[in-house]
Amino acid sequence: MNHSGFIASFHHVTRIAAHYYARLLSGNKLLEFRLRNLFGCSSLLEITKMEEQEETLISIDSTPPEVDTSSGQLNNLSQPKPFDTSLFDQPSQQTETIDLIGADPPSAGVQDSTGEVTEEKDAEEFVKESSDPTKATDPKESQMQNQFTDENLTNVIIDTQSEVEEINLDSDSVVEKTSPSDRGDQEIDNSELKLTAKNNLNTEELLEGSTPLPEIVDELAKDTPDRRPVNVPKLPSVTTFHKGNTPWDDEDPFLSAISNSEADRRQDAWLPSESTLNVLQSRVNLQGTDYASRPDLTMPGISFDEAQVDTLKELLYKYHIEDDVTKRKRLTLDQVTRDLDGLKRLLNDGCLRSAVQLTGLLLTSVGQGKGQSGMPSQNTAESIQIWFTRLALLVKLRQFSTAELESQPFRDFDKPDLYYQYYPALYPGRKGSMVPFSFRVLVAEIPQFVSQHQQSMTRLYALLATCQKIVSNLSQGLDEYGEKSGVSEEYIKASLILWKNRVNRVQYSIGNCLLAMKDYYQSIKVFQSLSKTDSLNWCQIESLVGRIYLQLGDLKSAQETFTGIEKMSEADDQSAKIQVLINKGFLRMAQNMYTDAHIQFSEVIKLDPGNFTAVNNISVCLLYMGKLKSALNLLESLVNDEPDKYLDESILFNLCTLYELESSKSANKKQQLLGMAAKRKGDGFNVSCLKLP
Amino acid sequence: MDAPREKEHLLSLKVMRLTKPSFVLSCPVICEQQDIFSRGSDGLQDLLPKLGSVQGLPAVALGELLTLPQNFGSIYLGETFSCYVSVHNDSSQIVKDILVKTDLQTSSQRLALSGSGATPRPELEPEGCIDEVIQHEVKELGTHILVCAVNYNPPSGDSMYFRKFFKFQVLKPLDVKTKFYSTEDNLVHSDEVYLEAQIQNITQSPMCIEKVSLEPAPEYTVTELNLQPDDSDSSIFGAITYVNPMDTRQYLYRLQAKPQQGSERGTFTKGVSSIGKLDIVWKTNLGERGRLQTSPLQRVSPGCGDIKLVVLQIPDSITLQSSFKFLCKLTSCCERTMDLKLNLQKAGTGLSWMGISGKQLGKLGPGDSLQIELSMLSTIPGLQSISGLRIIDQNLKRTYEHDDIAQIFVHHAQTAA
């Protein structure tokens, strides 16, 4: 092959350089693909093949590595780097990153524990609250609760007499209360406005304070020809990781690009706002020469890069289960490659905390590290996927405030630099958003976890509106954007399925959010409409509606819903039969008929012996029936027989609650569970379910 | 909770309040197939599937797995306090003659819940348990102390005894306000009264109010006005079946006095009388039930004083700067004969009296009534209120003030046309 390679690091400066170069070559065939570098920092590399004669035009030198030893690595990576030194300093370091098994120094945990402790406070409080009810009620401890003792309350009944007179005075305030929802809506609007105003301010300040982007780019354009070519063979494995990507082979790049583009096209489709659309169109017309102003840029940055404490391991040390510490063969950050592959391995192993840390490293390497929020950096489809992973993990680890903080720069994902059209040279002809749809939903959901439900609702409904617009475009035989672009009928059909599913997906999130807001009525309405649009799952959805009724105490409506399911389901449908039995069990429990509930759940097990939901719920029934030992044995055998499957937080929580009630030796039994969990669970395991002090 | 004195004992006692269980809430994070942490299978999937999630619906937060109560929670008047008492033999010896007794101490009394008069259990083997679920409907507000006492005989030595105390507060779940309305036309000897009951949920959770019924006192009959007139089965509150925290619902009842002997229609007693009681039943989280009855509702018959003034006729609206007449009826509600005089004072902004002030109305006996016709002139457009009517009883030199007795809309002549 008469081609020579050119490597652009993931770092935004070089990315822009590559971009610039790509524009120079606009007449030539461009073959782009991404490289995975085994060394963490420049995890995503881009190689652009090009004609020989252009080789002199661009080349980038690799400055000598500054990393000294493996122990220093971590710190080094987490620091923001100056532009020049960050280019390709790592390829030679790859060997050092692997296999540091067991070298995880305990001091690292101690050193970083401060940040972690604040994150874990919620969990700790949860443990405290959820601990033995007897604690809260010990008379010695809680004498200050004594609000009512002084009153002489001999009559049980409520005294309505004294309030008769109040009514006349209060009549106005009663009227006022009737329209809280209206006022609530106004409040959202205001806060949204404030938010926008604030953000604009920030960006303006930044514009004055720092170097504008166009200058950086010009500088680079001047610089690049002087750089030495990169030594390609030095690079480790060259693999593709992105599904839509073409491997580097002899295939015609354009043909393969087309085959991928159909799926990409419908998945990436998104309708930008008008202002964003204008920016994107002007960029296409100008072939990307017009660099956007700062307000057009998305500038995320991680908010912490400290190591996440493996709480499971901490507990093992605390209870001196050293034996289990050594047996604990879960992956750690040092045992995986610092790239997407390593991230996947950590995820599959349940090592969520290490995975968060790895996303931090990867993002730092692309200029989106700690303190770099609000500073321009290059967003790519890959960096955004890493962000998605990071925020998803933070939510799973219940570090909601961090997730909320870090999600702020993305907001509604409407900045032009998140669209492929913004980079006409890098992604020629590619249209749509680089943001995965699920990431949009996640970021819309995050505010509700920090009690800003209304903001979540606003964002979710905005998503829903866009999805519905796309569905309506497709239903008219047009493409997603409402244009007649000559797409095939099959394409439209496939896209319609995708987007209808996405409409449902947003509706589920809306239903969840309403439920979290305790707006049961609206939530039920959303789920009821979903049981029609997501008709394959109607039985489960209707059962969900019934459970919501039960939870709020409306047994009558719950019963009606459950009876409706029974009537609608077909006689030979096994899963519907099970669902009906489970529903009956719940209803009986709500009616305080625990023995009957037990019978219903037992019927489920006859039909489906592996139904752990029924086993767990039988155990709960047994407790209310006064059969603690049986309840305990049932759950214990479930967990002991198949620990890999049933060592789940919610089942362990019940089991530990029963242990606490059963004997004063509960601590030992909980520690046994801890040992079991340590052997099988990654660092994402939520230890609070064990209710260990 | 391991008090030193407890360690000397062979048995241990644990208590857990059995509030209703709840459904596990998960925190779904869904990805599509093309996302990097997708596990490659088709369709939606969670980043980290947990057991609690619903099969086929990974995006739904409310699961099917039940979780045991996590804390003591709050308990409200009228609910049933239910708790699990477990006595466990922690020792390696067989313990004999075990008696577990539970009492509930309130601020006013001590209630025996279980174990009083029961025969002791002959023996409890090591690791054995004595389990009991105690239920008690709380009927008092304020501090309650659950007292659990355990008597037993160890294999060697004298009988042993220990007690444990668990304290909790019973809170008020509802705020009930009542209001009586008398019918307009016949105030003196009205035979029906309307009762409005405002029931406010002052708990922390939504509440499903199942029943609010008025149990009338024997001399009245009651009609509930809280169902749709066409369809007697559906409530007027529509599809929303629950009351959110701090929200209020209004219920309306019509009370009629039963006819007394010798008279065709019944009358409401004057002064203070008992009307009846409200019976309220509600359910909260997963069917947790509560029930309350109010104390007898007292009605004070409307204080119309000695004289009742009712406007019989008045036009709805009138053009600006024109005069109008209206008709009033004065009824005596007192036992004496009055000698009445009519004074007209400042009628308020926008209206002026037309006619003489100080007109003699003559004598009015008990229960008698008389009609007077009055004229006014409108001066300012808008909704105007009639005030400034003064009736003076010349026998007792007592003045009865009547303000805001009626309203009239004053408009320009053009708008009327």
Side-chain angles (χ1 to χ4, degrees):
Chain A
M1 270 199 306
N2 199 10
H3 289 163
S4 75
F6 136 71
I7 308 159
S9 105
F10 204 51
H11 193 280
H12 77 275
V13 176
T14 28
R15 200 64 193 287
I16 291 167
H19 182 178
Y20 190 83
Y21 177 56
R23 264 195 291 123
L24 293 175
L25 295 173
S26 51
N28 291 314
K29 271 191 185 178
L30 264 178
L31 219 190
E32 65 164 81
F33 65 96
R34 296 149 187 95
L35 257 198
R36 188 162 44 88
N37 183 350
L38 272 175
F39 195 79
C41 196
S42 40
S43 65
L44 299 170
L45 297 186
E46 192 144 319
I47 290 194
T48 313
K49 278 207 298 175
M50 58 203 69
E51 306 292 313
E52 194 182 9
Q53 64 265 31
E54 262 96 20
E55 195 190 302
T56 47
L57 257 174
I58 241 188
S59 48
I60 294 167
D61 75 348
S62 76
T63 43
E66 345 166 25
V67 186
D68 43 4
T69 59
S70 53
S71 62
Q73 234 168 266
L74 231 159
N75 292 335
N76 189 36
L77 285 173
S78 57
Q79 278 160 9
K81 296 184 195 94
F83 285 148
D84 288 348
T85 53
S86 66
L87 305 176
F88 307 107
D89 43 356
Q90 279 87 12
S92 58
Q93 297 277 316
Q94 48 180 307
T95 46
E96 294 182 15
T97 60
I98 317 159
D99 291 335
L100 290 168
I101 307 163
D104 190 11
S107 60
V110 176
Q111 175 196 325
D112 297 317
S113 62
T114 47
E116 179 59 19
V117 166
T118 49
E119 291 301 328
E120 287 299 296
K121 247 183 189 158
D122 288 353
E124 274 179 32
E125 279 164 16
F126 169 74
V127 178
K128 269 182 207 159
E129 279 172 16
S130 59
S131 60
D132 191 343
T134 55
K135 268 183 196 164
T137 53
D138 189 290
K140 281 171 221 151
E141 285 174 25
S142 55
Q143 287 212 325
M144 62 292 172
Q145 289 179 12
N146 217 343
Q147 317 163 31
F148 291 100
T149 36
D150 294 336
E151 293 170 32
N152 191 11
L153 289 156
T154 41
N155 58 335
V156 179
I157 38 209
I158 295 188
D159 187 4
T160 54
Q161 191 59 43
S162 59
E163 278 137 22
V164 176
E165 286 161 33
E166 276 178 57
I167 293 164
N168 297 331
L169 300 171
D170 279 353
S171 59
D172 283 353
S173 62
V174 172
V175 174
E176 248 179 81
K177 275 178 193 162
T178 52
S179 59
S181 59
D182 295 351
R183 271 179 292 160
D185 288 344
Q186 273 175 0
E187 271 165 36
I188 324 158
D189 290 344
N190 286 342
S191 65
E192 278 289 292
L193 280 175
K194 269 181 223 154
L195 226 148
T196 345
K198 209 170 147 193
N199 268 333
N200 285 342
L201 259 180
N202 281 347
T203 40
E204 269 166 35
E205 276 166 26
L206 280 165
L207 265 176
E208 284 169 26
S210 54
T211 332
L213 190 58
E215 281 180 38
I216 302 171
V217 171
D218 288 348
E219 216 174 87
L220 254 162
K222 275 180 252 153
D223 277 1
T224 38
D226 300 325
R227 291 170 186 264
R228 282 183 286 117
V230 170
N231 198 350
V232 179
K234 257 193 173 179
L235 283 163
S237 65
V238 178
T239 30
T240 55
F241 62 89
H242 191 261
K243 276 182 70 75
N245 240 341
T246 326
W248 188 357
D249 50 27
D250 294 313
E251 237 182 278
D252 184 275
F254 280 117
L255 276 180
S256 51
I258 288 164
S259 67
N260 284 315
S261 66
E262 288 227 322
D264 284 345
R265 178 179 171 154
R266 50 179 173 263
Q267 277 155 7
D268 299 338
W270 196 255
L271 306 178
S273 71
E274 207 170 307
S275 59
T276 304
L277 195 63
N278 287 339
V279 175
L280 291 175
Q281 268 164 359
S282 73
R283 283 184 71 82
V284 172
N285 296 340
L286 292 165
Q287 280 295 300
T289 46
D290 168 36
Y291 279 90
S293 53
R294 258 165 190 267
D296 290 346
L297 298 177
T298 308
M299 296 174 282
I302 64 173
S303 65
F304 73 98
D305 54 8
E306 294 85 5
Q308 295 245 339
V309 178
D310 182 349
T311 44
L312 195 52
K313 203 182 224 171
E314 294 247 301
L315 274 180
L316 289 175
Y317 279 116
K318 186 176 169 189
Y319 292 103
H320 310 291
I321 317 177
E322 312 287 350
D323 196 30
D324 291 306
V325 177
T326 48
K327 271 189 206 154
R328 187 163 153 73
K329 290 219 173 65
R330 307 311 293 192
L331 285 175
T332 60
L333 185 59
D334 300 324
Q335 288 163 268
V336 298
T337 51
R338 303 208 165 168
D339 53 20
L340 292 182
D341 199 46
L343 190 56
K344 271 190 170 177
R345 284 185 63 201
L346 287 174
L347 285 174
N348 287 334
D349 214 38
C351 296
L352 307 194
R353 291 173 201 275
S354 305
V356 169
Q357 215 182 333
L358 181 54
T359 59
L361 295 178
L362 295 175
L363 290 168
T364 304
S365 73
V366 295
Q368 299 180 345
K370 191 178 178 183
Q372 286 177 299
S373 171
M375 288 167 31
S377 54
Q378 179 86 357
N379 293 301
T380 60
E382 293 74 30
S383 74
I384 287 171
Q385 279 279 359
I386 295 171
W387 270 111
F388 177 27
T389 314
R390 180 179 173 87
L391 294 181
L393 290 168
L394 288 173
V395 167
K396 281 289 180 188
L397 290 167
R398 309 188 80 78
Q399 298 176 12
F400 296 131
S401 51
T402 312
E404 204 270 333
L405 184 70
E406 295 192 358
S407 73
Q408 277 173 8
F410 294 108
R411 296 210 307 142
D412 49 6
F413 295 106
D414 189 49
K415 297 283 173 67
D417 66 337
L418 297 177
Y419 289 86
Y420 288 113
Q421 298 97 299
Y422 192 76
Y423 313 97
L426 268 182
Y427 305 104
R430 192 160 177 184
K431 199 174 173 188
S433 171
M434 301 196 296
V435 183
F437 179 73
S438 304
F439 192 18
R440 286 182 191 273
V441 178
L442 177 68
V443 167
E445 285 173 333
I446 283 174
Q448 66 174 294
F449 302 130
V450 289
S451 299
Q452 295 173 13
H453 298 96
Q454 288 295 353
Q455 195 181 357
S456 276
M457 290 302 288
T458 312
R459 288 184 183 175
L460 286 169
Y461 271 105
L463 288 188
L464 185 65
T466 306
C467 293
Q468 283 170 337
K469 177 76 191 147
I470 291 175
V471 167
S472 114
N473 287 339
L474 291 164
S475 310
Q476 292 165 32
L478 304 168
D479 72 356
E480 292 88 353
Y481 302 92
E483 288 159 15
K484 275 185 188 164
S485 53
V487 283
S488 68
E489 253 176 59
E490 289 79 48
Y491 174 84
I492 289 178
K493 226 178 189 173
S495 190
L496 202 53
I497 292 170
L498 175 78
W499 283 97
K500 278 185 174 169
N501 283 335
R502 284 181 171 182
V503 167
N504 288 348
R505 167 81 190 86
V506 179
Q507 299 263 33
Y508 279 116
S509 293
I510 290 173
N512 288 342
C513 185
L514 286 165
L515 202 58
M517 290 164 81
K518 295 192 170 171
D519 191 342
Y520 295 107
Y521 177 67
Q522 290 300 335
S523 168
I524 285 168
K525 278 185 115 176
V526 167
F527 286 123
Q528 279 174 338
S529 80
L530 268 169
S531 83
K532 292 183 186 82
T533 50
D534 193 4
S535 52
L536 275 178
N537 292 316
W538 74 269
C539 181
Q540 286 96 325
I541 300 170
E542 285 291 323
S543 302
L544 169 71
V545 168
R547 287 201 300 280
I548 298 174
Y549 278 128
L550 280 186
Q551 190 163 51
L552 68 92
D554 186 355
L555 270 58
K556 196 179 149 205
S557 306
Q559 189 161 13
E560 282 167 12
T561 310
F562 289 153
T563 318
I565 297 169
E566 207 174 340
K567 278 182 193 155
M568 287 278 288
S569 56
E570 284 155 35
D572 55 342
D573 186 346
Q574 181 85 349
S575 74
K577 215 183 250 172
I578 289 169
Q579 190 73 57
V580 165
L581 286 169
I582 287 183
N583 291 344
K584 276 187 185 165
F586 289 143
L587 188 67
R588 294 288 176 274
M589 290 190 85
Q591 292 163 335
N592 284 327
M593 295 152 76
Y594 294 104
T595 319
D596 284 10
H598 182 282
I599 294 169
Q600 301 294 339
F601 290 129
S602 305
E603 287 291 315
V604 174
I605 293 181
K606 276 184 203 159
L607 291 174
D608 176 15
N611 194 314
F612 60 87
T613 305
V615 175
N616 174 76
N617 295 352
I618 287 175
S619 164
V620 171
C621 286
L622 285 168
L623 180 73
Y624 285 80
M625 290 158 67
K627 296 177 178 171
L628 171 62
K629 285 268 167 158
S630 319
L632 201 54
N633 290 340
L634 202 59
L635 276 194
E636 219 169 23
S637 58
L638 186 71
V639 172
N640 286 332
D641 291 354
E642 276 184 87
D644 287 322
K645 194 171 172 194
Y646 296 121
L647 218 55
D648 182 84
E649 277 94 338
S650 36
I651 288 181
L652 289 184
F653 178 85
N654 283 348
L655 185 54
C656 290
T657 308
L658 295 177
Y659 277 149
E660 280 176 0
L661 183 58
E662 186 230 12
S663 104
S664 35
K665 291 170 190 157
S666 63
N668 292 338
K669 295 185 173 176
K670 288 185 198 169
Q671 284 173 27
Q672 276 175 22
L673 290 179
L674 177 68
M676 285 170 75
K679 276 175 221 157
R680 289 171 182 89
K681 293 283 168 181
D683 60 13
F685 184 76
N686 185 357
V687 289
S688 67
C689 71
L690 295 173
K691 307 212 277 181
L692 280 161
Chain B
M1 285 295 285
D2 288 333
R5 64 189 171 101
E6 199 193 320
K7 280 187 179 153
E8 301 158 15
H9 284 281
L10 305 176
L11 302 181
S12 69
L13 177 122
K14 301 272 174 182
V15 174
M16 174 183 174
R17 182 181 168 204
L18 292 179
T19 43
K20 290 275 183 165
S22 49
F23 296 108
V24 169
L25 270 178
S26 61
C27 191
V29 176
I30 301 300
C31 58
E32 290 178 345
Q33 205 183 343
Q34 67 274 14
D35 295 323
I36 56 167
F37 54 73
S38 146
R39 283 174 171 76
S41 64
D42 272 345
L44 300 176
Q45 48 184 321
D46 200 287
L47 162 69
L48 194 80
K50 293 252 166 110
L51 291 186
S53 59
V54 186
Q55 215 178 0
L57 295 181
V60 163
L62 187 80
E64 290 184 328
L65 220 51
L66 286 169
T67 181
L68 292 170
Q70 301 177 3
N71 48 38
F72 186 85
S74 349
I75 180 152
Y76 295 97
L77 192 64
E79 288 186 342
T80 300
F81 171 73
S82 156
C83 73
Y84 199 107
V85 177
S86 175
V87 175
H88 189 257
N89 186 355
D90 285 342
S91 73
S92 51
Q93 297 159 305
I94 292 175
V95 177
K96 290 188 172 169
D97 302 322
I98 308 104
L99 183 66
V100 185
K101 197 166 164 279
T102 53
D103 286 331
L104 192 62
Q105 174 74 54
T106 70
S107 50
S108 69
Q109 57 182 324
R110 189 172 180 125
L111 303 152
L113 297 183
S114 76
S116 60
T119 47
R121 180 156 157 169
E123 59 176 44
L124 188 65
E125 67 284 6
E127 296 296 307
C129 279
I130 297 175
D131 293 316
E132 208 174 352
V133 176
I134 289 165
Q135 296 201 318
H136 169 71
E137 189 181 329
V138 281
K139 294 180 174 169
E140 240 178 283
L141 282 171
T143 311
H144 284 58
I145 299 169
L146 179 71
V147 185
C148 301
V150 180
N151 269 305
Y152 65 96
N153 288 326
S156 58
D158 301 329
S159 77
M160 303 279 276
Y161 170 73
F162 69 91
R163 287 199 303 176
K164 271 192 171 182
F165 302 92
F166 304 93
K167 184 163 130 176
F168 59 91
Q169 295 289 339
V170 175
L171 307 172
K172 203 171 144 182
L174 299 170
D175 205 14
V176 181
K177 295 177 182 179
T178 54
K179 197 173 176 180
F180 288 99
Y181 298 90
S182 305
T183 38
E184 274 283 307
D185 57 335
N186 198 342
L187 281 157
V188 187
H189 302 291
S190 169
D191 70 338
E192 62 176 22
V193 160
Y194 290 85
L195 169 69
E196 177 193 331
Q198 297 182 359
I199 297 177
Q200 189 182 22
N201 173 8
I202 53 172
T203 70
Q204 304 288 315
S205 60
M207 177 185 273
C208 197
I209 299 183
E210 285 198 337
K211 186 179 107 176
V212 180
S213 66
L214 181 63
E215 285 176 17
E219 55 272 35
Y220 307 107
T221 55
V222 66
T223 318
E224 291 201 22
L225 302 170
N226 304 309
L227 297 173
Q228 298 280 11
D230 51 334
D231 172 8
S232 61
D233 207 31
S234 64
S235 94
I236 51 163
F237 303 109
I240 300 177
T241 51
Y242 59 96
V243 183
N244 276 318
M246 301 317 288
D247 280 3
T248 303
R249 250 189 197 183
Q250 282 135 299
Y251 292 82
L252 191 63
Y253 303 90
R254 185 172 70 205
L255 282 156
Q256 278 171 302
K258 286 178 185 164
Q260 282 159 338
Q261 275 186 332
S263 73
E264 236 171 69
R265 48 194 298 206
T267 48
F268 275 78
T269 17
K270 279 189 186 163
V272 181
S273 61
S274 171
I275 289 288
K277 296 173 189 169
L278 280 172
D279 202 3
I280 306 164
V281 177
W282 72 90
K283 288 211 171 96
T284 53
N285 176 38
L286 215 75
E288 190 93 64
R289 184 175 178 272
R291 195 185 81 100
L292 275 186
Q293 201 170 52
T294 63
S295 56
L297 304 174
Q298 305 287 327
R299 173 178 180 256
V300 185
S301 57
C304 55
D306 295 337
I307 297 174
K308 181 69 198 171
L309 182 139
V310 181
V311 177
L312 296 177
Q313 274 177 15
I314 186 167
D316 292 335
S317 59
I318 187 85
T319 52
L320 190 61
Q321 290 176 347
S322 58
S323 69
F324 64 93
K325 287 181 176 174
F326 68 98
L327 193 64
C328 299
K329 183 180 170 190
L330 285 178
T331 310
S332 164
C333 302
C334 65
E335 303 298 319
R336 60 195 155 81
T337 304
M338 293 183 285
D339 185 14
L340 298 180
K341 189 173 93 173
L342 175 71
N343 269 8
L344 299 173
Q345 293 186 353
K346 192 171 166 13
T349 51
L351 295 172
S352 297
W353 291 108
M354 288 171 71
I356 327 151
S357 179
K359 183 183 169 188
Q360 296 290 340
L361 297 173
K363 290 197 165 45
L364 193 64
D368 290 351
S369 59
L370 62 85
Q371 293 191 0
I372 43 174
E373 195 181 47
L374 294 159
S375 300
M376 297 193 96
L377 179 73
S378 60
T379 53
I380 297 174
L383 187 67
Q384 305 297 351
S385 185
I386 300 168
S387 290
L389 198 69
R390 301 286 176 266
I391 315 267
I392 300 157
D393 176 13
Q394 295 173 110
N395 292 344
L396 289 178
K397 302 268 182 271
R398 192 178 283 173
T399 305
Y400 302 98
E401 299 184 353
H402 291 276
D403 291 322
D404 290 321
I405 53 176
Q407 268 133 26
I408 186 162
F409 184 66
V410 181
H411 56 83
H412 290 283
Q414 299 94 310
T415 52

